[in-house]
Amino acid sequence: MEIKERQNNYSYYLSLRKHNLREAEQMSKRCNELEPNNGTYQDTYAWVLYCLEDYENSRLWLEKALKNGGDNSAVIIEHYGDVLFKLGLKKEAVNQWIKAKSTGIGSELLDKKIENEKLFE
């Protein structure tokens, strides 16, 4: 496994734990500089930004990830829905969650989000 892949994985791990988010942001940013068209790295960076409550930039990075293969990932599509919800775009968020469900396996909360049209974290 390459170092940038390990850094990306560690950044995502930190984001899930909501721990050392600024460190995660820097590592993830560096991964994207080294490999600028990697949808997985873009999703990680977007998710770290989401955890830092920078929803506008998170949305921009998720849109990049979707253009770079993330449109086939239930997780990335679900993340996009989460960001849209945080930005007050509830209808669009629910549509993305439905799309995520039809694409593959999302989080354990995906069905609950769709059913209640509400973000659960």
Side-chain angles (χ1 to χ4, degrees):
M1 181 182 301
E2 289 187 49
I3 191 156
K4 62 187 171 195
E5 190 175 344
R6 281 185 292 210
Q7 286 185 327
N8 181 70
N9 291 346
Y10 185 56
S11 297
Y12 192 67
Y13 168 79
L14 290 174
S15 74
L16 293 176
R17 296 194 62 182
K18 310 264 191 278
H19 186 70
N20 290 342
L21 291 173
R22 291 295 175 193
E23 178 184 356
E25 178 187 19
Q26 291 306 310
M27 280 191 293
S28 184
K29 182 178 181 182
R30 181 73 176 130
C31 291
N32 280 286
E33 290 168 350
L34 294 170
E35 200 167 324
N37 296 315
N38 184 314
T40 300
Y41 293 176
Q42 292 166 337
D43 172 61
T44 297
Y45 188 56
W47 198 248
V48 171
L49 293 172
Y50 176 90
C51 293
L52 290 166
E53 299 180 5
D54 185 353
Y55 304 122
E56 287 292 342
N57 282 315
S58 179
R59 177 184 185 173
L60 295 174
W61 280 91
L62 281 165
E63 288 171 351
K64 290 179 186 184
L66 290 167
K67 289 177 186 170
N68 287 306
D71 58 334
N72 294 316
S73 166
V75 172
I76 294 174
I77 297 167
E78 184 177 354
H79 284 170
Y80 188 54
D82 293 355
V83 168
L84 293 175
F85 192 90
K86 288 286 192 176
L87 291 170
L89 302 168
K90 180 180 170 181
K91 183 178 179 183
E92 293 88 340
V94 173
N95 287 338
Q96 292 302 311
W97 294 333
I98 292 168
K99 183 178 177 184
K101 184 174 173 79
S102 70
T103 303
I105 299 172
S107 77
E108 59 189 36
L109 297 172
L110 183 57
D111 288 333
K112 190 174 180 181
K113 292 175 187 178
I114 294 167
E115 183 180 322
N116 293 284
E117 297 186 353
K118 183 178 176 186
L119 180 62
F120 294 91
E121 298 182 285

